[in-house]
Amino acid sequence: MPDLSQARRSVLEGLGSSDGAHGALSLLPPISRLIFRGRISTIGRVAAAFGVEPAMEPCRAAVSGERAALWLGPDEWLLLAREGEAPAIIGRLADALAPLSYSLVDVSHRQVGLKVTGEDAQAILNAGCPLDLDRHAFPIGMCTRTLLQKTEIVLWRVAEAAFQLEVARSFAPYALRFLQQAERDL
Amino acid sequence: MSAPFRLGAGGRIDRSRKLRFWLDRKAYEGVAGDTLASALLANGVHLVGRSFKYHRPRGIMAAGSDEPNALVSVGSGSRFTPNLRATQVELTDGLVAQSQNRWPSLGRDFGALNDVFSPLFPAGFYYKTFMWPKSAWKRIYEPKIRAMAGLGRAPTLPDSDTYTQRYAHCDALIVGAGPAGIAAALAAEAHGARVILCDEQAELGGSLLAETKATIDGKEASAWLSDALSRLSHSPNVRWLSRTTAFGCFPHNMVGLAERLTDHLPSPSEGRPRERLWQVRAKEVVLATGALERPLVFPDNDRPGIMLADAARQYLARYAVKPGTRVVVVTAHDQAYRAATELAEAGVEIAAILDIRQDASGSWAEQARGAGLHILSSTTICATSGRHRVSSVEIAPVGRDGKVGPRSRLACDLVLMCGGFTPAIHLFSQARGKLRFEERLNAFLPDGGAEGVRCAGASRGIFGLDAAIADGVAAGEAAARDAVGGGVEAAHSPVPLPKDLDGRRLDPLPHDRSPHRVKAFVDFQNDVTAKDVKLAVREGFRSIEHIKRYTTTGMATDQGKTSNMNALGIAASALDKPLPDVGLTTFRMPYTPVTFGTFAGVARGELFDPVRVTPTHDWASAHGAVFEDVGQWKRARYFPLKDEDMHRAVARECQAVRQSVGVFDASTLGKIEIVGPDAAEFMNRIYVNPWSRLEPGRCRYGVMLREDGSILDDGVVGRLAADRFHVTTTTGGAAQVLNHMEDFLQTEWSGLDCWLTSTTEQWAVIAVQGPDSRKILERLVDDIDLSAAAMPHMSVREGHVCGVPARVFRVSFTGELGFEINVPADHGRAVWQAVLDAGFSRSLTPYGTEAMHVMRAEKGYIIVGQDTDGTVTADDVGLSWAIGKTKKDFVGKRSLARPALSDPGRKQLVGLVTEDPELVLEEGAQIIAEEPTASHRSAPHKMIGHVTSSYFSATLGRGIALAMVAGGRRRMGETLYVPMPEGSIKAVVTNPVFLDPEGKRLDA
Amino acid sequence: MLLIDCPFCGKRPELEFRYAGEAHIARPADPSGLGDEAWGRFLYGRGNPRGMHAERWRHLNGCGRFFNALRDTTDDRFAATYKIGEERPMVAEPQGARKA
């Protein structure tokens, strides 16, 4: 029996990160992703076990080291961590949260990470994202589900001129091609 | 070649950059800064088109986007654009334009016969004339009418240009960069607002571009303009867009802008988008869209060489073009005096200024008088002549009693007309602003009511440079304060109407000719005359909306920019009603035509719509799979070998699964993980099935209904733990099932402790089906006991497949022993290969959706959405066994008790077998009970059902079908008829389970 | 394109939302206790007012929440948006002019 535990293939393999027009696009390596859903009363224990205190304020991300918790809804957070850490995190949270009710689901492969950087990042994203990305309207640390043309994304401003995108796996090739086109059309 | 009507100095053009261009294969020369229209006028060319209906020669009438006549086609091949206004086409070197609606040429046009026979073409002509025979409309009348009446040809090649789009936000969007707009932008910027300023022209400035003498703040107008633009361009808070038309105003201050990026370049670089659609969300909008000059309605007012007065002045001031040599001006407004004076100063002979009014007193009239220009008040035009260019006019005095006196003739090569100005309130009206009629201007003005939208300058009837700038400043400040706060409530109040720019007229000018014989045009682009509008009223049309549609006035591509007010005035007179009581037709977007490309943006080719592929897509593609679209997904339909057709490939794939083993990518199935202590209770309420007693590790086929009792979706559900379910849905239903579940959890049952997470894309699903499937899996799994005893049909285990964490289901949609391996999606491709390798010795056969469909139909398994529609209940398709009988309630349960849903005559799922085993019924075919005889083949038959699924089953050696038939379960063994064009087909009603009704193969 | 004030995320473009029908139509606690006519009314009886309409929206491509809104059907203006479970707020009815 072959051991395929390391045999991964990204849906974007072979599509390239950018055709180099401005070099604003890059693909992010695999990471662990978990969807935590539960009542707000559980968040304190999540913070202790996960090491990041999930934001209660809507559309805000909390970061600590290589871990992050992104507010997606009033009972929903996307937890990000290094690749391979998901099983340990699930175990840690189970210990910390018992006997409270919550839901924690590994979605590491459900979506793909992309990054748009540079002074044109806003313009590239606004080719398909209808939100106001001005730094006053969409400050560093803001995150939200929204749309990129015909696909849903999670958009997260990680720096003044850097946005991280999470795209559902089967929509990622579309999202990447769309962004590449937007970069060419600046 | 040289342009004889170009002045030696002045204008905003670059005489050193000569541009060669062609109209209808004739070469001309223009200069940088020209529009096609100004370059043609510089060459003395007025005749540029033929009219829509009568094919009358037409010339350039306006100087901007309001031009109704001078429509041309530009470019060729895949870059061919018809119906462009020559007044908006920027001249480029090598530009090739063609006139439109003429054959064989502009000068000699056969269609002009329409003009001779024009008494035959009154308003509503088409409705009255082409009534019969009915069949001739489609074959003869419509094609002929379309060929004769029309504008440019549609391009025949796919557009080789690309288009792009952008969303933008700002505090203040300012539409129109004339004096008011620029003043508003400066004021808003100074207040700290984020500003977008757009203008449809190549150069920002609007009327300032034709101001040669005026001063602003002590500076020449042109210097003030360049200073202002320099300040705006240096501000990080201002984005200004030239060549950008605000074409529509949408709810909540969303404004659509069409920016033309490359049309003005001689050779657009490949790959650079031609146009960009901006969707701007503005906190505040300032509309500084100016006003449109109105023509006067008099006999034969459409000859080439008859122009709007201020348009002629703009050609002179901006492009240094003399549009004629001897001019007759006819006016009802003071502005024409300014045009006449400036033309006279440039050396153009003014034969006379005819003013229909009794006296004109404003300062422009005084200046004209002072310059010695020949002014005739109370004078009208009775006729014009000249075939391809006006050559003379016949004028006559109008007495105080309105009687027209004796005519005299004036030779001329240019007639300028001005009936007043219509504020451009299109966008304001689209923003649902209220309008009021201003008698003194004969125009509708904005009157509040549009939240966050205000007008400035001429667009709200404030004329004159100083007044417009002051109004722009006030509007810009008010907008900025409303958007970003601060300061005191800004007053942006009405300014008194100016004294110097008086005058108005909507009624046709009086003349001494038979009103039935003259053509005095109102709508130039659609060839609608004053006579037509009056006729419509005489024939009983009362509403302006009906008059518009009957006469087609205002319905051309210019949407009546120059004609609507005149038409309204004529209609009001004919109806003998005050004009405001007649009302105004709706202003619709777009303000000027917008290309389809702009709206489509990048949504062409591979970016037309997301194409979703599964983790094994590349493998399937490399192995010759034929794909089918299932929503946005691409699914492998079958895998033909060499010269196999679908029929043979599917037969082979089915045979492999039935006899040994096949493998299938089921990754597109929707998946939802439902977690929490109340998960089972939630499942009980959402599905018809009972879930409480389903043990962890076991699966159940679940059916869910809408509240009205119809089937919403179905799928296998595995219980992974007491508080965790792995739900599957149909491929197409995944999103709506999740929405349906969230809806109930968030609103009706918010007290339940359970949560939903979509896992559709987390898992790659590899179905291994067939009697040999277990033997293959055993070679890939070492931590799950796959034996029949340990893992019965409808069970689920978590473990590893080739070291990859996996959820293995023992389920079957084929009726055979089978498993579905779920592995994290990035591992899907490798595990798929491992399955193939493990099955190599057993001739493991990949199969596609078509074989899957055939096999499930053989087993009578339904596909929601194919065998069901929004009217079908669980019982209708024989699934009442799934319903938890002891459950007090679930979504849809109460509806099932409604009498109509338990009527035994409802359509029910049955099998159908044709008498001829080779025959495969058509899906969707209707079913009747009695055999149609030859005598009543076409008589109506009562349809008692329809075929929902139909395939050739290689396993059974015959065509099989599933059908929904009224009272179907009581009709077992009955012969029914499926009428087809070739004759009706006999089919016998059977049990929908065609194969292995006892289910023995599941445990083979 | 409307601008809709999600009670959680703030003002967002209509593209991110899905309309979800009339608001404040609670599912009967015991459907089996209802007669056919009453159940039929619950299923199909919906208002279609000219003026203020209480309706449900879901911020589908956002926080995912269903919420309620008061929208004037004559001009698409939202008078209020509020969370599920909250009382319908009192707002001024549209003026007579807009009702005409």
Side-chain angles (χ1 to χ4, degrees):
Chain A
M1 187 191 312
D3 176 14
L4 303 178
S5 58
Q6 303 306 312
R8 292 188 65 157
R9 191 173 194 277
S10 163
V11 67
L12 296 179
E13 200 167 295
L15 290 181
S17 57
S18 179
D19 61 356
H22 303 260
L25 308 178
S26 51
L27 311 185
L28 296 177
I31 52 171
S32 292
R33 301 177 176 88
L34 297 143
I35 291 290
F36 179 88
R37 299 195 70 170
R39 302 197 186 278
I40 283 173
S41 53
T42 58
I43 289 305
R45 296 207 210 171
V46 174
F50 183 59
V52 181
E53 181 164 356
M56 300 291 182
E57 189 188 347
C59 304
R60 285 296 179 279
V63 184
S64 175
E66 287 184 72
R67 290 192 177 179
L70 279 62
W71 186 100
L72 295 185
D75 67 353
E76 182 178 6
W77 289 263
L78 172 63
L79 309 183
L80 303 178
R82 265 210 303 257
E83 194 198 1
E85 290 188 336
I89 293 168
I90 290 169
R92 182 92 57 83
L93 262 67
D95 293 343
L97 282 153
L100 302 179
S101 315
Y102 68 98
S103 161
L104 188 60
V105 177
D106 184 348
V107 294
S108 301
H109 292 242
R110 185 178 82 169
Q111 54 213 42
V112 176
L114 298 172
K115 205 164 183 178
V116 186
T117 53
E119 58 180 14
D120 293 326
Q122 259 174 253
I124 291 169
L125 288 165
N126 272 144
C129 175
L131 299 185
D132 186 355
L133 301 179
D134 181 81
R135 62 196 160 90
H136 300 294
F138 202 105
I140 296 170
M142 181 163 168
C143 63
T144 181
R145 259 192 295 251
T146 181
L147 291 166
L148 182 73
Q149 195 77 355
K150 295 186 180 179
T151 180
E152 183 179 273
I153 57 171
V154 172
L155 183 65
W156 175 23
R157 186 174 215 151
V158 292
E160 173 73 33
F163 293 85
Q164 188 164 324
L165 278 69
E166 291 278 322
V167 191
R169 179 187 166 87
S170 66
F171 287 95
Y174 170 86
L176 179 62
R177 288 189 187 111
F178 179 83
L179 291 168
Q180 288 169 339
Q181 186 64 45
E183 190 182 17
R184 283 194 289 272
D185 288 345
L186 279 175
Chain B
M1 261 301 284
S2 69
F5 294 89
R6 181 87 65 192
L7 297 170
R12 301 179 73 90
I13 49 169
D14 180 357
R15 287 177 180 75
S16 68
R17 284 174 52 211
K18 304 228 181 297
L19 308 174
R20 204 173 147 84
F21 70 99
W22 283 263
L23 176 69
D24 290 343
R25 302 218 171 86
K26 189 168 179 212
Y28 299 94
E29 192 179 274
V31 296
D34 261 331
T35 62
L36 178 58
S38 70
L40 286 167
L41 291 174
N43 285 278
V45 176
H46 277 254
L47 171 66
V48 289
R50 288 275 177 172
S51 72
F52 184 69
K53 194 158 120 190
Y54 304 125
H55 286 242
R56 286 165 69 101
R58 288 284 165 84
I60 295 161
M61 193 173 100
S65 60
D66 50 338
E67 173 61 46
N69 288 335
L71 300 188
V72 294
S73 304
V74 173
S76 60
S78 63
R79 284 207 163 100
F80 175 85
T81 310
N83 304 333
L84 291 172
R85 291 151 301 284
T87 50
Q88 284 193 296
V89 174
E90 287 178 62
L91 201 65
T92 56
D93 199 31
L95 181 131
V96 176
Q98 288 165 277
S99 61
Q100 298 184 162
N101 205 29
R102 81 288 182 272
W103 187 83
S105 72
L106 254 187
R108 297 163 46 83
D109 171 38
F110 285 179
L113 283 171
N114 281 7
D115 196 29
V116 177
F117 296 113
S118 64
L120 300 175
F121 301 118
F125 163 70
Y126 302 122
Y127 310 124
K128 291 166 183 163
T129 310
F130 299 111
M131 300 285 283
W132 49 264
K134 204 174 157 192
S135 61
W137 175 255
K138 245 187 146 162
R139 280 186 298 113
I140 303 167
Y141 299 146
E142 191 179 2
K144 292 283 177 219
I145 293 166
R146 288 209 183 278
M148 284 297 285
L151 302 165
R153 289 178 295 114
T156 52
L157 294 175
D159 190 343
S160 61
D161 276 306
T162 61
Y163 299 80
T164 184
Q165 301 181 341
R166 182 89 58 90
Y167 291 97
H169 294 74
C170 62
D171 297 317
L173 169 68
I174 291 149
V175 178
I182 287 178
L186 289 169
E189 191 274 339
H191 195 81
R194 274 198 291 165
V195 174
I196 295 177
L197 171 65
C198 71
D199 192 280
E200 62 181 354
Q201 299 202 48
E203 254 191 297
L204 301 194
S207 67
L208 294 171
L209 302 171
E211 287 290 352
T212 48
K213 290 181 203 154
T215 57
I216 305 167
D217 301 341
K219 291 182 231 174
E220 274 184 30
S222 59
W224 183 87
L225 173 61
S226 59
D227 288 355
L229 294 181
S230 159
R231 200 175 121 197
L232 294 174
S233 65
H234 284 102
S235 167
N237 282 335
V238 178
R239 181 197 293 281
W240 53 266
L241 302 165
S242 59
R243 303 184 177 92
T244 302
T245 304
F247 62 81
C249 213
F250 305 94
H252 301 179
N253 283 5
M254 167 68 84
V255 183
L257 315 180
E259 183 185 15
R260 293 167 289 279
L261 298 164
T262 59
D263 277 0
H264 63 290
L265 304 174
S267 48
S269 62
E270 288 304 320
R272 200 167 158 210
R274 179 186 178 208
E275 291 175 8
R276 176 181 284 128
L277 171 71
W278 290 86
Q279 295 180 74
V280 179
R281 179 80 69 179
K283 286 191 182 133
E284 296 289 320
V285 176
V286 176
L287 298 172
T289 42
L292 302 168
E293 193 174 10
R294 285 200 292 264
L296 286 167
V297 181
F298 57 86
D300 296 328
N301 58 343
D302 65 326
R303 292 187 198 281
I306 302 182
M307 297 178 76
L308 294 168
D310 206 57
R313 190 185 69 80
Q314 288 176 50
Y315 284 113
L316 179 76
R318 194 167 161 191
Y319 304 102
V321 168
K322 285 193 290 184
T325 54
R326 186 177 150 87
V327 184
V328 170
V329 178
V330 54
T331 188
H333 189 272
D334 294 347
Q335 183 77 6
Y337 288 90
R338 181 180 180 192
T341 307
E342 293 187 13
L343 283 163
E345 285 168 4
V348 177
E349 183 190 349
I350 307 296
I353 301 173
L354 321 178
D355 198 321
I356 190 63
R357 300 172 294 176
Q358 280 168 11
D359 57 88
S361 55
S363 66
W364 291 111
E366 291 309 320
Q367 277 191 46
R369 249 177 227 119
L373 299 187
H374 181 41
I375 299 170
L376 297 166
S377 53
S378 297
T379 303
T380 190
I381 288 196
C382 295
T384 70
S385 49
R387 189 157 164 246
H388 290 161
R389 171 95 182 254
V390 65
S391 58
S392 69
V393 297
E394 302 212 12
I395 66 172
V398 182
R400 285 190 181 274
D401 54 0
K403 288 227 168 90
V404 176
R407 292 193 200 180
S408 53
R409 192 181 187 90
L410 279 177
C412 61
D413 62 358
L414 184 69
V415 174
L416 301 184
M417 55 184 170
C418 180
F421 287 82
T422 306
I425 48 173
H426 305 67
L427 295 170
F428 182 78
S429 179
Q430 288 169 19
R432 301 189 188 185
K434 282 186 263 178
L435 303 173
R436 73 179 166 86
F437 186 67
E438 172 54 56
E439 194 78 40
R440 280 195 57 193
L441 297 172
N442 263 355
F444 286 93
L445 296 181
D447 192 27
E451 209 173 297
V453 179
R454 45 170 68 74
C455 293
S459 69
R460 66 181 196 115
I462 291 172
F463 295 96
L465 189 52
D466 295 339
I469 288 177
D471 197 46
V473 170
E477 278 177 359
R481 287 196 167 121
D482 283 352
V484 300
V488 289
E489 179 86 359
H492 177 220
S493 53
V495 176
L497 294 168
K499 294 190 180 68
D500 282 351
L501 289 166
D502 199 12
R504 64 193 193 271
R505 174 140 197 137
L506 298 178
D507 284 334
L509 300 189
H511 57 77
D512 57 2
R513 298 164 64 188
S514 160
H516 303 297
R517 300 199 63 95
V518 301
K519 286 203 193 72
F521 284 90
V522 175
D523 184 324
F524 291 75
Q525 198 170 98
N526 261 359
D527 267 357
V528 180
T529 63
K531 193 169 57 185
D532 293 326
V533 177
K534 289 177 190 161
L535 178 67
V537 171
R538 277 208 309 280
E539 292 189 354
F541 290 93
R542 292 295 176 267
S543 156
I544 192 66
E545 293 284 3
H546 292 154
I547 292 168
K548 167 180 166 173
R549 282 157 183 77
Y550 190 58
T551 61
T552 73
T553 188
M555 290 176 69
T557 64
D558 66 349
Q559 296 198 55
K561 285 187 181 60
T562 50
S563 63
N564 279 346
M565 285 310 295
N566 286 339
L568 192 52
I570 293 166
S573 297
L575 288 164
D576 199 21
K577 275 190 187 174
L579 192 144
D581 294 356
V582 179
L584 197 54
T585 54
T586 310
F587 291 95
R588 296 179 200 284
M589 79 107 188
Y591 181 68
T592 52
V594 179
T595 63
F596 284 118
T598 299
F599 291 116
V602 298
R604 300 165 74 183
E606 66 177 8
L607 288 175
F608 173 67
D609 205 38
V611 175
R612 306 174 69 185
V613 301
T614 70
T616 68
H617 184 84
D618 291 350
W619 183 93
S621 193
H623 287 77
V626 175
F627 292 92
E628 69 168 337
D629 291 333
V630 181
Q632 292 169 320
W633 288 103
K634 290 276 178 213
R635 300 194 71 180
R637 191 173 185 194
Y638 57 99
F639 294 84
L641 295 177
K642 279 186 264 153
D643 49 1
E644 270 181 349
D645 58 11
M646 181 170 94
H647 183 76
R648 284 163 60 204
V650 169
R652 173 180 52 74
E653 291 171 14
C654 290
Q655 194 175 29
V657 175
R658 295 270 180 243
Q659 293 178 4
S660 53
V661 62
V663 61
F664 174 73
D665 185 343
S667 302
T668 64
L669 279 186
K671 300 164 211 77
I672 300 167
E673 200 143 317
I674 303 185
V675 183
D678 294 330
E681 173 59 21
F682 174 69
M683 298 286 291
N684 281 335
R685 297 184 192 185
I686 276 286
Y687 282 88
V688 304
N689 317 67
W691 299 95
S692 303
R693 294 222 291 266
L694 182 71
E695 284 170 27
R698 296 308 302 264
C699 302
R700 181 161 286 167
Y701 167 72
V703 178
M704 70 182 78
L705 308 181
R706 297 181 188 87
E707 196 70 280
D708 67 5
S710 63
I711 295 179
L712 171 64
D713 206 77
D714 68 350
V716 170
V717 177
R719 188 169 197 170
L720 298 168
D723 64 351
R724 189 175 291 254
F725 290 84
H726 177 118
V727 166
T728 66
T729 73
T730 58
T731 296
Q736 64 163 338
V737 168
L738 189 61
N739 192 69
H740 175 79
M741 289 179 169
E742 277 287 348
D743 192 349
F744 278 96
L745 260 185
Q746 289 185 27
T747 63
E748 294 292 345
W749 310 322
S750 56
L752 289 185
D753 263 359
C754 75
W755 294 272
L756 314 173
T757 303
S758 169
T759 52
T760 301
E761 304 245 29
Q762 166 70 11
W763 302 104
V765 182
I766 300 164
V768 185
Q769 300 277 309
D772 290 346
S773 55
R774 183 183 287 118
K775 298 189 183 80
I776 292 175
L777 250 72
E778 280 167 349
R779 300 172 65 172
L780 305 170
V781 176
D782 58 10
D783 55 358
I784 302 172
D785 183 348
L786 298 166
S787 68
M791 191 170 177
H793 179 55
M794 296 302 266
S795 58
V796 57
R797 300 286 180 269
E798 291 184 272
H800 290 81
V801 174
C802 301
V804 176
R807 290 177 181 172
V808 179
F809 289 75
R810 187 174 156 200
V811 289
S812 174
F813 198 43
T814 58
E816 302 297 326
L817 170 70
F819 297 86
E820 287 184 3
I821 303 168
N822 287 245
V823 290
D826 276 5
H827 295 294
R829 174 70 183 83
V831 172
W832 174 265
Q833 188 63 50
V835 171
L836 292 172
D837 294 344
F840 183 74
S841 59
R842 296 186 179 274
S843 331
L844 173 78
T845 302
Y847 66 97
T849 50
E850 192 65 23
M852 177 269 280
H853 275 281
V854 174
M855 289 186 281
R856 66 89 198 174
E858 289 168 348
K859 290 292 300 174
Y861 298 148
I862 60 158
I863 295 216
V864 172
Q866 176 170 340
D867 300 297
T868 70
D869 57 28
T871 69
V872 173
T873 69
D875 181 62
D876 293 342
V877 288
L879 292 174
S880 41
W881 59 265
I883 298 174
K885 304 292 183 294
T886 59
K887 291 203 291 180
K888 191 161 186 300
D889 189 20
F890 56 81
V891 176
K893 180 179 167 79
R894 174 63 187 85
S895 291
L896 297 179
R898 305 184 82 206
L901 296 200
S902 48
D903 182 342
R906 287 178 64 82
K907 285 186 184 176
Q908 293 165 336
L909 184 79
V910 295
L912 280 185
V913 290
T914 47
E915 217 171 42
D916 173 359
E918 296 298 318
L919 259 178
V920 178
L921 294 170
E922 293 237 10
E923 290 177 354
Q926 301 287 312
I927 298 165
I928 58 177
E930 315 88 42
E931 180 165 24
T933 59
S935 62
H936 66 284
R937 247 188 92 177
S938 59
H941 292 284
K942 187 167 187 252
M943 299 300 173
I944 60 166
H946 63 280
V947 176
T948 59
S949 293
S950 181
Y951 310 94
F952 186 80
S953 162
T955 307
L956 299 167
R958 60 167 309 118
I960 57 166
L962 299 176
M964 294 298 292
V965 175
R969 287 201 286 268
R970 286 177 308 171
R971 293 180 187 266
M972 291 298 149
E974 262 183 48
T975 299
L976 301 178
Y977 301 87
V978 179
M980 297 300 288
E982 306 79 34
S984 65
I985 301 169
K986 273 188 184 178
V988 176
V989 180
T990 68
N991 186 317
V993 185
F994 296 95
L995 181 76
D996 185 27
E998 304 82 21
K1000 286 180 182 155
R1001 304 178 72 97
L1002 291 167
D1003 293 307
Chain C
M1 183 169 37
L2 305 180
L3 196 60
I4 303 176
D5 196 359
C6 169
F8 297 91
C9 304
K11 286 190 177 175
R12 295 293 197 92
E14 184 185 351
L15 288 174
E16 293 181 348
F17 297 83
R18 290 293 178 281
Y19 185 69
E22 190 172 342
H24 304 299
I25 296 178
R27 190 170 190 271
D30 179 16
S32 63
L34 252 58
D36 284 336
E37 203 183 314
W39 182 251
R41 264 200 309 277
F42 161 70
L43 281 182
Y44 303 115
R46 296 295 181 270
N48 185 20
R50 180 183 175 85
M52 207 55 82
H53 186 228
E55 58 196 21
R56 305 184 331 131
W57 288 81
R58 185 180 184 207
H59 193 192
L60 179 69
N61 304 113
C63 63
R65 290 286 110 179
F66 284 84
F67 60 90
N68 294 328
L70 293 177
R71 180 178 58 96
D72 185 341
T73 58
T74 62
D75 62 7
D76 277 341
R77 274 180 241 205
F78 285 92
T81 54
Y82 50 104
K83 292 175 187 174
I84 295 290
E86 291 178 355
E87 291 267 308
R88 174 178 171 153
M90 297 296 289
V91 298
E93 281 294 313
Q95 286 139 27
R98 277 198 258 123
K99 280 215 167 132

